[in-house]
Amino acid sequence: MGMASAQVSAILLYVCIISGGAIADSQNSTNGGISRPTEVRIGALFTFDSVIGRAVKPAIELAVADVNADPGVLSGTKLTVLMQDTNCSGFVGTIEALQLLAKDVIAVLGPQSSAIAHVVSHAVNELHVPLISFAASDPTLSSLEYPYFVRTTLSDYYQMAAVATIISHYRWREVIAIYVDDDYGRGGITALGDALAKKMAKITYKAKLPPGAGRTAIQDTLMQVNEMESRVYIVHVNPDSGLNVFSAAKSLGMMSSGYVWIATDWLSAAIDSSVHANSDATEHTQGVIMLRQHVADSGIQHSLLSKLNGLTREKNSTSLSSYSAHAYDSVWLVAHAVERFLTAGNEVSFSVNQNLQAVKGSNLQLDSLRIFNKGDKLLEKVWQANFTGVSGQVQFTLDRNLIHPAYDILNVAGTGLRTIGYWSNFSGLSVAAPENLHSAPRDSSTNNTQLHGVIWPGQTADKPRGWVFPYHGKPLRIGVPLRTSYNEFVMQDNGPDGVKGFSVDVFKSAISLLPYPVAYSFVLFGNGLKNPSYSDLVQKVSENYFDAAIGDIAIVTNRTRLVDFTQPYTESGLIIVAPAREVESNAWAFLKPFTFQMWCVLVMLFLFVGAVVWILEHRTNTEFRGTPRQQIMTVCWFSFSTMFFAHRENTSSALGRFVLLVWLFVVLIVNSSYTASLTSLLTVQELTSGIKGLDSLISSSSPIGYQVGSFARNYLVEELNIADSRLVPLNSPSDYARALELGSGNGGVCAIIDELPYVEIFLSKYCKFKTVGQVFTKGGWGFAFPRDSPLAEDLSTAILTLSENGNLQRIHDEWLSVRGCDTDDSNISSNSLSLSSFWGLFVVCGLACAIALLIFFWRIFCQYSRYNNQIELEPEIVNRPARLTSIKSLISFVDKREEEVKNALKKKPNGSQQTKIGSTEEQSTLPL
């Protein structure tokens, strides 16, 4: 771009410099040695007879007059503007720009064309003259590449961000861009593509129009885009010829219901123009959404509008073009910058460009193009601008764009425009004016991200879907796998559809819930000899051989890279199936419910609890007294009879009853567990293949079966690294049963890996096989559509609706409600119950016994202490060891009946009579 522009400029110098040489010489003499000149010149470059030109010319003239009339700005210095007409031509515009620069202007306003701005920017960079553009919105006009280019309008970078936000607001994912094929159009559409990508949307087609395209070219382009699926059109063209697009669209019937048209700010400029403000402009654009650069309502705006109405022939204009506002503010921007430039002691002077002097030519007067010596100083003052203009606050950000970019979002309805909302880079979409949101907190309720209702093309308030089927009435070709097994899901039929099954009914029910009709026909895929490859079916969809594919198609990673899937309509996942046999009972089967360790602990615990109860009941309960032999028999009988709740001994003490209550609860749990475990062991099936789970299956070398066409084979090879030689393809449930019965050593398989829905049907018919472990992949079945198909999203919503209203379960029960063998996929083999299953109960029981014994012996010691204080020891036993006497007396005391001890404690001690402890009669009845 830079090289070509320089060549164009050099070629055109010959034409423009001849006429500008004399003017340059006269100005050199007036500026010499004067620090504050009496006059400064600025240029203005635009097309006079254009939508933007008619709006900005009176605004520029009025701004210059207001500046010269204001004594606070450029006092003593007159501001003069030299206007040049580019005549809507890049060639002429370049010549006019060079002519302006040859007249020693210190700044240039314009151009309005981004294409001309690219070329002129190279010239002003070389001559150090600021280029103040009020209309060139191409985002590629970067201040880094063109440091002397100053944009006083909004970059299309922001406008396309606003368009992308609108697209996202209405949840459209694909758009078609219709644009003029020049720097302005290409730069804007590139920015639109980037903005849409951030909103998870995209441009599906770019329809280019040549600059100044005629009606025939426009109609041909629109007919082409009308063949496509998307119905959301973004129009980014020039305001002078842009209305021809909508005129052609209306003649082609593309302004009717179902279409979405979004125009950038060129349309608002065209409608705001006095020439186009008529019924034809609004008639051709009914229902269109368009943007307009936001100009805040203010007294300055109304004053300027009143003055402009006085200068133009249209006296009843009620709106101010944003281009008029930016052009007016551009003059004041230059005036303020020049004022600060001169106040700082800078002078306006020019010098010869040495680079041009070095160019050898015969008749080229290159010295007419001179460098503005202090141009960088003036440019610095421009970037430092900070004042309130007609368009709002004129101030630049660090990236040299105007602060607070904002747009009005308008809707053409009836004979006028409706404001349905605003967009700003601060708050996004809102129905509140942006200037009101800058001062409000960001989370304030003033910021409403919704837009007002829109009247769409066709005079409808219903939001268009944004896409149609591009088949001109042809039904969708829906691929359906021609299965040879598990026909409950999909099968061939003689009915009008040609297919039926669970998956078919789900698809038809979901299609019926869509708010628009969809014509479709089912096409079988497969040879009918074996199940087709589902990966090949999905590949056909990605190649557009099929418009969609339905059936029992598993949603797996490799397939999602090719197509889009709907919401899963049933859960799935891989699981292992293996052969099983009945366990034969034997004479000692009743011992299997508990482990040997468990049986030993139970016996010890029975005896321990019996002994504890005997200790607690011995002093108060006559059933627990007697000879040593009788008491041993009592403890043993009582202990084991509690297992069957058949103990005949009654407990009388509170502690004994407490221990017995806890123990009977433990016995109840143990009995129930024994009964359940024994029942399970007598009826359980165990695996005969030795496969206990996925790990043992992977580590073995036995063959594994899988269903033909399923993704299981790729998963086993690629994810689990199982050798392909171990895999055996099987086609039907009968093949499954035959292979499992033969086993791995007789040409069969040790196990089969298949998806859960198939396994459930298989096990309902073949009861001698069982699942092993749990489902080890999580997934589901869905319908496949081409990438970015809007129908996939709508069908997903319909499937969710079927699930919520219960129709999906009804369809499932209708086709897959077969009941047969138990298909519980829990562990097949049952293990004997071990101590680890009951140690908590045993600990509770042990604690209860310990607590009861502690309380019991504490009472004994207290009674013994009181009892011993009332008894005097016999003289004949004084010479015995005191400790032994104390132990024997304690044991003798414990063996006494509770009633006897209480009676003894009630008697008052007699000083002349001593009670003998440890007498011959008492010593002869020591407890065992």
Side-chain angles (χ1 to χ4, degrees):
M1 174 65 74
M3 183 68 69
S5 301
Q7 292 175 352
V8 172
S9 301
I11 294 173
L12 297 175
L13 285 176
Y14 181 78
V15 179
C16 65
I17 292 178
I18 296 177
S19 60
I23 300 175
D25 292 337
S26 62
Q27 187 169 347
N28 287 340
S29 61
T30 59
N31 287 341
I34 302 176
S35 60
R36 193 175 184 92
T38 58
E39 179 186 20
V40 291
R41 296 179 181 180
I42 62 174
L45 189 66
F46 57 91
T47 299
F48 294 170
D49 188 19
S50 66
V51 169
I52 296 178
R54 287 188 293 270
V56 302
K57 184 176 182 181
I60 293 175
E61 294 172 347
L62 185 59
V64 172
D66 290 345
V67 168
N68 291 327
D70 190 343
V73 180
L74 296 180
S75 178
T77 300
K78 181 182 179 182
L79 181 66
T80 303
V81 59
L82 304 177
M83 297 187 183
Q84 295 284 16
D85 189 358
T86 60
N87 292 313
C88 290
S89 170
F91 178 77
V92 175
T94 304
I95 295 176
E96 297 292 347
L98 295 175
Q99 286 182 342
L100 278 177
L101 294 173
K103 297 176 182 179
D104 287 347
V105 295
I106 62 173
V108 176
L109 302 179
Q112 71 186 58
S113 169
S114 297
I116 299 177
H118 276 281
V119 178
V120 176
S121 292
H122 290 285
V124 297
N125 286 350
E126 183 70 21
L127 302 178
H128 299 178
V129 177
L131 181 65
I132 316 296
S133 179
F134 47 77
S137 57
D138 179 11
T140 61
L141 285 167
S142 168
S143 59
L144 297 178
E145 183 181 4
Y146 307 118
Y148 280 84
F149 176 80
V150 180
R151 195 196 318 267
T152 56
T153 187
L154 297 182
S155 168
D156 280 338
Y157 169 83
Y158 298 109
Q159 180 168 214
M160 296 309 173
V163 173
T165 305
I166 296 173
I167 298 298
S168 176
H169 174 75
Y170 290 110
R171 299 182 180 179
W172 295 313
R173 297 175 58 186
E174 298 180 354
V175 304
I176 292 178
I178 303 172
Y179 65 101
V180 59
D181 191 17
D182 59 8
D183 291 329
Y184 159 74
R186 289 189 296 269
I189 295 305
T190 300
L192 175 62
D194 296 340
L196 288 174
K198 297 178 182 178
K199 301 293 185 179
M200 304 303 291
K202 67 178 183 178
I203 301 175
T204 57
Y205 182 73
K206 296 180 180 180
K208 298 182 290 186
L209 295 175
R215 186 177 181 87
T216 302
I218 294 175
Q219 285 184 337
D220 292 343
T221 301
L222 293 181
M223 290 176 64
Q224 186 177 3
V225 300
N226 200 34
E227 300 282 333
M228 300 178 182
E229 184 175 289
S230 177
R231 283 292 183 266
V232 181
Y233 303 131
I234 311 299
V235 185
H236 186 60
V237 294
N238 293 318
D240 294 286
S241 58
L243 287 173
N244 295 332
V245 174
F246 290 104
S247 177
K250 185 174 183 181
S251 65
L252 294 174
M254 298 175 65
M255 298 300 296
S256 57
S257 178
Y259 290 86
V260 177
W261 292 87
I262 300 177
T264 53
D265 60 354
W266 68 266
L267 180 57
S268 61
I271 293 179
D272 290 340
S273 172
S274 60
V275 174
H276 295 285
N278 51 51
S279 59
D280 291 340
T282 55
E283 180 183 355
H284 293 156
T285 57
Q286 288 295 304
V288 175
I289 293 178
M290 63 181 179
L291 277 70
R292 178 167 58 193
Q293 296 185 34
H294 179 69
V295 176
D297 190 26
S298 63
I300 303 177
Q301 175 189 351
H302 291 293
S303 175
L304 177 61
L305 180 60
S306 177
K307 293 178 181 179
L308 290 176
N309 287 336
L311 294 176
T312 60
R313 292 174 296 176
E314 298 292 333
K315 304 296 183 180
N316 57 350
S317 177
T318 58
S319 61
L320 177 67
S321 172
S322 60
Y323 292 102
S324 299
H326 289 304
Y328 183 87
D329 289 342
S330 297
V331 175
W332 277 96
L333 171 65
V334 174
H336 286 299
V338 171
E339 173 63 27
R340 291 192 298 271
F341 172 82
L342 297 176
T343 302
N346 297 303
E347 64 177 2
V348 178
S349 62
F350 298 86
S351 61
V352 176
N353 190 326
Q354 298 299 326
N355 292 332
L356 293 179
Q357 289 293 320
V359 177
K360 303 299 182 180
S362 56
N363 297 322
L364 296 179
Q365 300 179 8
L366 300 179
D367 57 345
S368 297
L369 292 174
R370 301 191 301 173
I371 296 176
F372 181 21
N373 293 328
K374 298 292 185 177
D376 57 337
K377 299 295 183 181
L378 179 60
L379 180 64
E380 180 181 349
K381 302 303 181 183
V382 169
W383 291 127
Q384 294 174 356
N386 187 359
F387 66 94
T388 301
V390 177
S391 61
Q393 187 69 18
V394 180
Q395 186 179 354
F396 296 96
T397 61
L398 294 178
D399 58 357
R400 298 185 174 181
N401 284 304
L402 288 175
I403 64 171
H404 305 323
Y407 288 87
D408 301 339
I409 303 174
L410 309 174
N411 179 214
V412 182
T415 58
L417 306 180
R418 298 172 53 247
T419 301
I420 60 173
Y422 305 90
W423 179 92
S424 71
N425 68 331
F426 174 80
S427 59
L429 294 180
S430 174
V431 295
E435 60 270 15
N436 297 332
L437 299 178
H438 288 301
S439 58
R442 200 173 183 92
D443 58 350
S444 173
S445 59
T446 307
N447 185 12
N448 185 353
T449 58
Q450 302 298 318
L451 297 176
H452 291 304
V454 178
I455 304 300
W456 303 99
Q459 299 298 312
T460 177
D462 296 332
K463 186 197 81 170
R465 191 168 71 247
W467 63 276
V468 295
F469 298 108
Y471 305 110
H472 306 289
K474 296 181 180 179
L476 297 177
R477 285 171 48 87
I478 308 296
V480 181
L482 179 57
R483 295 194 57 89
T484 59
S485 61
Y486 296 110
N487 294 328
E488 294 86 349
F489 300 104
V490 175
M491 71 176 73
Q492 191 173 7
D493 183 50
N494 295 326
D497 292 327
V499 292
K500 65 178 181 179
F502 169 64
S503 300
V504 176
D505 282 1
V506 172
F507 175 77
K508 292 166 64 177
S509 298
I511 282 288
S512 66
L513 294 178
L514 298 181
Y516 48 86
V518 178
Y520 57 87
S521 63
F522 295 116
V523 181
L524 293 173
F525 177 77
N527 56 18
L529 301 178
K530 63 179 182 179
N531 293 331
S533 170
Y534 281 46
S535 296
D536 291 346
L537 176 60
V538 170
Q539 182 69 33
K540 291 292 185 181
V541 175
S542 67
E543 295 172 355
N544 294 322
Y545 180 81
F546 290 126
D547 300 317
I550 69 168
D552 44 339
I553 306 174
I555 304 174
V556 294
T557 304
N558 290 337
R559 296 172 184 174
T560 57
R561 296 191 180 106
L562 300 175
V563 298
D564 283 347
F565 282 93
T566 62
Q567 170 80 17
Y569 62 88
T570 189
E571 294 183 355
S572 181
L574 296 178
I575 195 169
I576 303 172
V577 182
R581 62 175 174 82
E582 297 286 345
V583 177
E584 297 180 359
S585 300
N586 56 59
W588 303 101
F590 68 91
L591 294 177
K592 289 186 177 180
F594 293 149
T595 62
F596 176 76
Q597 183 185 19
M598 181 67 177
W599 282 116
C600 294
V601 172
L602 279 176
V603 172
M604 294 175 60
L605 194 59
F606 273 104
L607 294 175
F608 172 72
V609 173
V612 171
V613 173
W614 176 83
I615 292 173
L616 298 175
E617 294 290 325
H618 179 68
R619 301 185 71 209
T620 59
N621 195 336
T622 57
E623 295 183 1
F624 289 87
R625 299 184 69 86
T627 63
R629 181 174 176 275
Q630 291 175 338
Q631 295 184 56
I632 292 174
M633 293 296 295
T634 300
V635 170
C636 293
W637 166 255
F638 180 83
S639 298
F640 292 101
S641 62
T642 54
M643 179 183 294
F644 311 102
F645 304 97
H647 52 284
R648 64 187 180 185
E649 294 80 8
N650 295 321
T651 53
S652 59
S653 66
L655 292 177
R657 292 175 178 175
F658 167 70
V659 171
L660 183 60
L661 178 64
V662 175
W663 172 243
L664 291 179
F665 175 75
V666 174
V667 170
L668 175 64
I669 301 299
V670 171
N671 281 344
S672 301
S673 302
Y674 176 85
T675 303
S677 181
L678 181 61
T679 303
S680 176
L681 286 171
L682 293 177
T683 59
V684 76
Q685 292 177 320
E686 66 180 12
L687 298 171
T688 60
S689 62
I691 301 299
K692 302 297 182 181
L694 183 60
D695 294 336
S696 63
L697 182 64
I698 295 174
S699 60
S700 70
S701 59
S702 302
I704 304 171
Y706 70 93
Q707 183 182 172
V708 175
S710 171
F711 77 96
R713 178 187 177 279
N714 291 338
Y715 182 85
L716 295 175
V717 174
E718 298 174 4
E719 301 296 332
L720 302 183
N721 297 319
I722 295 177
D724 187 54
S725 58
R726 293 179 55 191
L727 302 181
V728 179
L730 302 172
N731 196 56
S732 64
S734 60
D735 294 342
Y736 284 18
R738 188 181 308 109
L740 289 172
E741 288 173 351
L742 291 174
S744 58
N746 301 314
V749 297
C750 66
I752 291 174
I753 292 182
D754 203 355
E755 296 179 69
L756 183 60
Y758 303 123
V759 170
E760 290 177 344
I761 294 179
F762 172 71
L763 294 181
S764 67
K765 299 176 181 178
Y766 297 90
C767 301
K768 51 185 176 181
F769 308 104
K770 292 292 179 181
T771 58
V772 180
Q774 305 293 327
V775 177
F776 55 88
T777 63
K778 296 294 183 182
W781 291 350
F783 305 135
F785 288 86
R787 297 301 299 267
D788 301 322
S789 172
L791 188 57
E793 181 178 352
D794 290 352
L795 268 185
S796 294
T797 303
I799 291 173
L800 289 175
T801 303
L802 287 176
S803 178
E804 293 171 356
N805 61 24
N807 287 334
L808 188 60
Q809 185 63 41
R810 178 188 57 79
I811 299 173
H812 178 277
D813 295 340
E814 180 181 347
W815 285 98
L816 308 177
S817 60
V818 179
R819 293 292 180 265
C821 305
D822 183 12
T823 59
D824 184 13
D825 57 355
S826 59
N827 290 334
I828 290 177
S829 60
S830 298
N831 297 322
S832 299
L833 297 175
S834 64
L835 183 62
S836 61
S837 302
F838 299 95
W839 69 268
L841 281 174
F842 294 165
V843 168
V844 172
C845 182
L847 288 176
C849 293
I851 293 172
L853 289 175
L854 286 175
I855 296 175
F856 173 76
F857 283 113
W858 178 77
R859 290 179 62 249
I860 290 295
F861 288 141
C862 290
Q863 288 182 351
Y864 177 71
S865 177
R866 292 172 56 196
Y867 183 80
N868 198 33
N869 290 335
Q870 297 183 11
I871 299 176
E872 296 180 358
L873 298 174
E874 293 289 340
E876 59 270 17
I877 64 174
V878 173
N879 56 357
R880 295 183 181 181
R883 185 174 181 181
L884 180 60
T885 304
S886 177
I887 292 176
K888 287 184 176 182
S889 63
L890 177 60
I891 294 175
S892 176
F893 177 78
V894 171
D895 192 52
K896 288 180 177 293
R897 295 177 59 86
E898 182 75 15
E899 184 179 355
E900 181 181 350
V901 173
K902 290 182 178 180
N903 291 334
L905 292 176
K906 290 180 181 180
K907 296 180 180 180
K908 294 182 179 181
N910 190 349
S912 62
Q913 185 178 2
Q914 295 180 351
T915 304
K916 294 182 180 181
I917 303 177
S919 62
T920 303
E921 178 182 359
E922 293 173 347
Q923 292 176 3
S924 63
T925 59
L926 292 176
L928 295 179

